[in-house]
Amino acid sequence: MRNDYIRSAAAIRVVKLISSRDNPGFRKLLALRESAAARREQGRALLEGTHLVAACLEAGGVPETVVVSESAQGNAEVAALLRELDAAETLLLPDRLFERIAQVSAPVGIAAVIAIPGPAPGPAPQLGVLLEDIQDPGNVGTILRSAAAAGAQAAWLSRGCADPWSPRVLRAAMGAHFRLALQAGADLAAVARAFHGRVVATVPRDGRSLYECRLTGPLALVLGSEGSGVSASLLAETDEMISIPMAPGAESLNAAAAAAVCLFEVVRQKLAAGG
């Protein structure tokens, strides 16, 4: 096992070099990549890539640890981020080890460990999404990305959803985690009852047409699982059910696609109303 301290002249920082896959620090990184249980136990998440690390910094986040691959030391974008991360512990990994914590086949070579933020106090959200048992990480991440792009301030996820801090969700969300007040493991029925505006659920059919429904004012949009949709118990807590009109014979839309259609109808109505 090799575990030395070296000084990087380029970044003028002390760097801890980890060269063994058996190093406890590396094992923790690998666990954050692979295990929701480890993320919950550590209260930490792993951000990989320049975009996610930069999004965290732009939102005022303070990573605890930055991880760099040996080949990334000469990358200008990585060097710029390292200058902003001067206070963080820095780990240097051989490329072969960095590739084991990466999500892509040719990683840029930078990652960061952050403490998973808890619910933050703030003004009541004017637009939020409630996700019930959406299990595909790509769908969860894409919905969060669409919600943030549509101006939503909050997202609540049931226990049955994919872990929002998993690498696949983080990658699909493209930084949306840092623009939303995000609560995982939420009691969605309680959230719906406490919401200060209208709560609208999407259903595949027999709901009011999306384009006939008033979606201005404080709004919470409920989206159900890919297979069974919104549960009957949660539907009972909503003010209205809406459906997206589709061509005859079409069964339903992908959950992330349906969310985007609905969220940007909210945007359209808000703009039409001069909001």
Side-chain angles (χ1 to χ4, degrees), residues 1-250:
M1 180 187 301
R2 185 178 175 194
N3 192 355
D4 305 322
Y5 283 86
I6 65 173
R7 178 168 295 275
S8 165
I12 317 179
R13 64 196 299 123
V14 174
V15 179
K16 185 177 182 181
L17 175 62
I18 293 177
S19 56
S20 170
R21 65 182 183 181
D22 296 319
N23 180 281
F26 177 73
R27 302 306 299 178
K28 281 189 175 182
L29 293 174
L30 199 59
L32 290 178
R33 179 197 188 279
E34 296 178 346
S35 169
R39 290 188 288 272
R40 287 192 296 270
E41 182 181 341
Q42 295 186 40
R44 302 290 183 272
L46 182 68
L47 311 178
E48 190 228 324
T50 54
H51 182 88
L52 282 178
V53 175
C56 176
L57 290 171
E58 287 167 11
V62 183
E64 298 175 345
T65 303
V66 60
V67 187
V68 184
S69 70
E70 287 184 326
S71 64
Q73 292 181 95
N75 182 295
E77 194 173 5
V78 169
L81 286 172
L82 287 174
R83 285 192 289 273
E84 294 188 62
L85 290 160
D86 191 53
E89 175 190 37
T90 304
L91 305 180
L92 180 65
L93 301 184
D95 289 2
R96 60 182 172 78
L97 289 187
F98 192 95
E99 287 167 4
R100 291 193 62 186
I101 67 167
Q103 276 287 297
V104 295
S105 56
V108 174
I110 188 169
V113 177
I114 63 165
I116 294 174
Q126 297 299 296
L127 177 61
V129 291
L130 282 68
L131 309 187
E132 185 182 37
D133 298 353
I134 297 179
Q135 298 175 2
D136 181 84
N139 280 341
V140 171
T142 302
I143 292 170
L144 295 178
R145 183 178 182 182
S146 294
Q153 299 88 33
W156 297 270
L157 285 71
S158 73
R159 292 187 183 279
C161 282
D163 175 13
W165 294 98
S166 71
R168 286 184 61 197
V169 174
L170 283 161
R171 187 166 186 81
M174 291 292 286
H177 288 66
F178 306 109
R179 301 195 298 277
L180 295 165
L182 183 64
Q183 184 176 342
D187 180 342
L188 298 188
V191 171
R193 286 192 294 270
F195 190 75
H196 67 293
R198 295 175 66 243
V199 180
V200 175
T202 59
V203 293
R205 59 189 64 81
D206 299 328
R208 187 178 179 189
S209 169
L210 167 68
Y211 304 113
E212 295 173 356
C213 184
R214 179 180 64 82
L215 300 173
T216 53
L219 183 77
L221 182 67
V222 182
L223 298 142
S225 70
E226 295 90 344
S228 54
V230 181
S231 66
S233 59
L234 185 52
L235 284 175
E237 304 293 344
T238 65
D239 298 305
E240 190 164 16
M241 293 184 291
I242 61 172
S243 298
I244 299 170
M246 291 183 289

